[in-house]
Amino acid sequence: MRTRCALLLLVAFMASMLGGRSAFADDEAFLDETEIAEPAAEDFFEGLEEMQENELAFKIVRLEVVGGNAKVTDAHFKATLLFQNTSPYTIKNPATSVELLDKEFNTAAFAKVKFEGALKPGQSQGFVAEFDSKIEVTPGQRVKEFSVEMNDYLYGERIDDASAIEDKGTYLFVDGKRLKVKVADPYGYQYVPAKNLLEAAGFKYVWDAKKSTFTATKGKLKVEHKIGSSTMKVSGKVVKLDSGQTTTLNKVPTMSLSVLKSISGSFAIARGEHDGEIIILSVADQDLIK
């Protein structure tokens, strides 16, 4: 009886060992498949270096579901993307990958995106990408139900050239053009003369010295603000500002860059600081991306 029990235990033990090996073999097969698939991702980012957070910024500006076309046969996603160079050198072929998740956190789409070209310091570049959906979607479908995840780091090729910024200081770029003004930071804000910043952003600026008030208009946008006030009127609506976001420095009306976002959500502001000596500020009007 004892011998029979011992044999049964031995058989059970051997079966469990074989089962364990079988599961382990399946894991090895899975790892092999992953390793086989990996070179494709490497090919996409081949020749590119991993960017640091203070060198390159990326975001999806607009997302929509469109019908099939010559590029993608079935209904799919169309995204307007934006890269902003916040480094003191040129970045060539910036790239990354993004994942769209539905409400249940299932992958709705996955795409690798790359801008084929070069971004000089402070320059912004928008472009459009279209990619398949892994779930059934319909043209015009609401996209608020999808969330966006950065599925990879940012990549690019750093190029040191004549356009590189080497001198210490703060550099401000608006829609890719350098704004040659002094950027002050006395109270924790990055202040810029209101006239220069708003005009660079495409506004028509009018200053009323008696009332210490400026009016700025751009298309349907109309901004009215008294320097130093904690409120601003944007197209008739009162918008609250943090204390000190506008002030007068050396008798010049100034405003922080963040006020642009209070005026319109279309402005994307990215910042990169390098060794505490060089700061690159990049402002882009997302409405200009088509």
Side-chain angles (χ1 to χ4, degrees):
M1 183 67 178
R2 290 180 179 176
T3 303
R4 185 179 178 183
C5 291
L7 286 172
L8 288 172
L9 289 171
L10 179 60
V11 170
F13 176 75
M14 292 299 292
S16 66
M17 287 296 291
L18 288 172
R21 285 177 183 173
S22 175
F24 185 70
D26 289 342
D27 288 343
E28 284 185 332
F30 176 77
L31 289 174
D32 288 344
E33 289 174 0
T34 304
E35 289 172 1
I36 290 172
E38 189 64 27
E42 290 179 355
D43 289 344
F44 187 82
F45 299 117
E46 185 178 1
L48 304 180
E49 307 163 79
E50 185 180 318
M51 297 285 104
Q52 303 301 313
E53 291 183 358
N54 63 340
E55 297 176 327
L56 187 64
F58 168 82
K59 69 180 298 184
I60 291 184
V61 176
R62 285 186 293 274
L63 180 68
E64 57 186 322
V65 179
V66 298
N69 54 36
K71 292 182 179 179
V72 185
T73 306
D74 300 320
H76 59 282
F77 290 99
K78 180 180 179 181
T80 303
L81 314 170
L82 175 68
F83 278 115
Q84 290 176 279
N85 182 358
T86 55
S87 75
Y89 41 74
T90 294
I91 295 178
K92 187 177 180 181
N93 300 330
T96 189
S97 63
V98 294
E99 183 177 18
L100 302 182
L101 305 175
D102 64 14
K103 291 181 178 179
E104 285 72 40
F105 300 101
N106 299 312
T107 299
F110 178 82
K112 296 181 179 69
V113 294
K114 180 189 296 182
F115 169 65
E116 301 285 353
L119 298 180
K120 292 183 178 181
Q123 188 176 0
S124 304
Q125 181 63 54
F127 62 104
V128 175
E130 299 186 40
F131 40 86
D132 283 313
S133 173
K134 294 182 179 294
I135 62 175
E136 187 175 345
V137 292
T138 57
Q141 181 177 341
R142 286 170 54 89
V143 295
K144 288 186 177 180
E145 59 192 76
F146 299 103
S147 60
V148 180
E149 296 286 340
M150 287 284 294
N151 213 34
D152 244 313
Y153 295 101
L154 292 164
Y155 295 90
E157 180 185 351
R158 300 181 184 91
I159 301 175
D160 292 321
D161 56 22
S163 68
I165 296 172
E166 298 179 352
D167 295 333
K168 300 177 183 179
T170 300
Y171 298 81
L172 171 61
F173 297 82
V174 180
D175 292 326
K177 297 179 181 179
R178 184 182 170 190
L179 190 57
K180 294 183 178 181
V181 295
K182 183 178 180 181
V183 180
D185 188 11
Y187 311 120
Y189 288 113
Q190 282 145 344
Y191 287 107
V192 181
K195 173 180 169 63
N196 299 77
L197 179 59
L198 290 170
E199 288 184 343
F203 287 85
K204 181 179 179 182
Y205 178 91
V206 178
W207 172 247
D208 187 335
K210 291 183 179 180
K211 297 181 179 180
S212 297
T213 301
F214 70 74
T215 301
T217 54
K218 180 181 181 181
K220 295 181 180 180
L221 275 177
K222 182 178 180 180
V223 182
E224 299 170 89
H225 176 69
K226 182 176 181 179
I227 292 296
S229 172
S230 60
T231 62
M232 172 180 286
K233 188 176 288 188
V234 181
S235 298
K237 296 182 179 180
V238 176
V239 176
K240 291 184 178 181
L241 300 178
D242 292 336
S243 178
Q245 281 192 285
T246 64
T247 188
T248 300
L249 295 176
N250 298 322
K251 299 182 180 181
V252 177
T254 62
M255 57 188 284
S256 71
L257 293 180
S258 57
V259 174
L260 287 176
K261 287 189 174 182
S262 298
I263 294 174
S264 173
S266 70
F267 290 105
I269 302 173
R271 180 181 187 274
E273 183 172 346
H274 306 271
D275 299 324
E277 298 181 342
I278 296 176
I279 296 176
I280 308 292
L281 301 168
S282 176
V283 176
D285 187 349
Q286 298 164 160
D287 283 346
L288 297 179
I289 303 174
K290 299 180 181 180

